[in-house]
Amino acid sequence: MTARIFRPAKTATQSGLGKTRCWRLEYVPETPRSIEPLMGWTSSSDMKSQIKLTFETKEEAVAYAQRNGIAYRVEEPKEAKRRIVSYSDNFKTNRLTPWTH
């Protein structure tokens, strides 16, 4: 079973960066989830998919996987491009398109 080491992205509903600074080790599911016909719930017989370990650094997560003989792959985070824009830029006289309501 392969493990995935990654840094979680921030949630779409929050503007803060909580729970995004730590690295996480999760197992990749071996079998697909099945749908229970009566109620429509999804289930899985793969118990390792419930394990989620958190580490302070990527090196700690990799060392844990190597120490326990776990096959792993590291997914580097994609950093968001930040554009610094001020509110007063909306009212510049040299705008490419005029500002209107």
Side-chain angles (χ1 to χ4, degrees):
M1 178 167 257
T2 306
R4 180 172 80 117
I5 297 172
F6 65 101
R7 203 169 80 190
K10 74 180 195 72
T11 61
T13 59
Q14 300 293 323
S15 60
L17 296 176
K19 299 181 184 176
T20 61
R21 292 184 176 86
C22 295
W23 288 81
R24 182 176 288 171
L25 183 139
E26 290 182 359
Y27 287 97
V28 178
E30 288 184 339
T31 58
R33 298 177 71 84
S34 61
I35 298 174
E36 194 267 325
L38 181 62
M39 297 297 290
W41 297 334
T42 57
S43 64
S44 175
S45 61
D46 185 16
M47 300 308 273
K48 284 192 176 182
S49 65
Q50 298 177 8
I51 299 173
K52 295 173 178 60
L53 301 174
T54 305
F55 299 92
E56 292 293 322
T57 63
K58 174 176 66 171
E59 289 77 23
E60 289 178 10
V62 169
Y64 175 83
Q66 289 175 347
R67 186 172 56 244
N68 292 307
I70 301 169
Y72 66 93
R73 72 171 189 266
V74 178
E75 297 177 4
E76 294 294 332
K78 296 180 180 97
E79 297 298 328
K81 292 189 282 186
R82 303 283 184 208
R83 231 177 36 155
I84 299 174
V85 181
S86 68
Y87 179 70
S88 63
D89 289 344
N90 292 330
F91 305 102
K92 283 188 175 179
T93 57
N94 60 354
R95 286 178 54 104
L96 296 176
T97 57
W99 184 81
T100 63
H101 287 285

